[in-house]
Amino acid sequence: MNISRPTKIQKTRGQAMVEFALVLPVLLTLLYGMLETGRLLFIYASTVTAARQAVRYGSATGDSPNGMPYYMDCNGIEAAARQVGFINTFENVTISYDGGLDSNNGNPIPLDHANPACGNYTDANVQNGDRIIVEVIAQWQPIVPIVPLEPLTITSQSERTILASVAISVTAVPQGWSGSGSGILYLDVTAL
């Protein structure tokens, strides 16, 4: 008596190659999409950070290492922005100033006492409440143009108020000024 066993259906090597060939483009497209999305997010984050770093530098009090007030140090402000972008480069760093925001409508107040471009804004022009504005522009474009995507311009703007001067007046020398720790110093800050 001859009993036959059921035969197993075996895949051939050719079928596995065909399945791999069908799946590979999908996997590569997903990988490429993830890499480009990551690059886009990184360029966006570095552009925002560059604008913030530059405006922090420009709004600091005192003199910069270049021997001028920070808000006048155009090269230092731009360098502070550009050193953030170590993978991407920034196409444009624009530095300008305004007189702060109007309390009635929230619009920027134009400066009437200075040209609001960096380099033309001097100690004689600056007032408490004026703002420094830094705008950084970067460009994203795909590394490999597999999909016809247009380049994307990423712009970030940041602003901060410039603290030109703070007047500190002491009406009387507090008792215990010699270091006993019981003295009181009152600070009165008013806009010029």
Side-chain angles (χ1 to χ4, degrees):
M1 175 167 219
N2 200 358
I3 301 176
S4 64
R5 295 183 182 169
T7 59
K8 291 184 179 179
I9 300 175
Q10 293 183 351
K11 293 184 180 182
T12 63
R13 288 185 185 172
Q15 182 179 358
M17 294 283 284
V18 168
E19 289 173 357
F20 180 72
L22 290 172
V23 172
L24 183 63
V26 174
L27 291 176
L28 289 177
T29 304
L30 287 173
L31 180 63
Y32 175 73
M34 288 186 329
L35 288 174
E36 285 298 333
T37 303
R39 264 189 72 241
L40 175 64
L41 291 173
F42 180 80
I43 291 171
Y44 173 77
S46 64
T47 304
V48 170
T49 303
R52 288 182 180 172
Q53 281 298 103
V55 84
R56 279 186 195 118
Y57 182 92
S59 66
T61 58
D63 287 341
S64 72
N66 295 334
M68 61 182 69
Y70 282 100
Y71 60 85
M72 290 175 57
D73 186 9
C74 302
N75 293 333
I77 294 169
E78 188 170 339
R82 292 198 184 275
Q83 73 184 8
V84 173
F86 60 92
I87 288 180
N88 62 312
T89 58
F90 301 115
E91 292 196 5
N92 197 8
V93 177
T94 306
I95 305 160
S96 61
Y97 307 90
D98 68 18
L101 295 177
D102 189 349
S103 60
N104 295 329
N105 57 18
N107 293 330
I109 301 169
L111 293 176
D112 57 354
H113 54 274
N115 179 354
C118 194
N120 297 324
Y121 195 66
T122 62
D123 283 333
N125 303 128
V126 69
Q127 298 176 3
N128 282 339
D130 290 352
R131 296 186 313 164
I132 182 170
I133 302 160
V134 177
E135 182 179 79
V136 177
I137 299 173
Q139 192 83 3
W140 172 85
Q141 54 188 359
I143 296 173
V144 180
I146 295 173
V147 180
L149 296 173
E150 294 295 320
L152 181 66
T153 300
I154 301 169
T155 303
S156 179
Q157 178 177 311
S158 190
E159 55 273 323
R160 275 204 173 172
T161 302
I162 298 172
L163 188 58
S165 63
V166 177
I168 300 176
S169 61
V170 178
T171 55
V173 176
Q175 293 181 350
W177 184 263
S178 62
S180 67
S182 62
I184 299 171
L185 179 65
Y186 293 99
L187 178 65
D188 183 23
V189 179
T190 57
L192 297 177

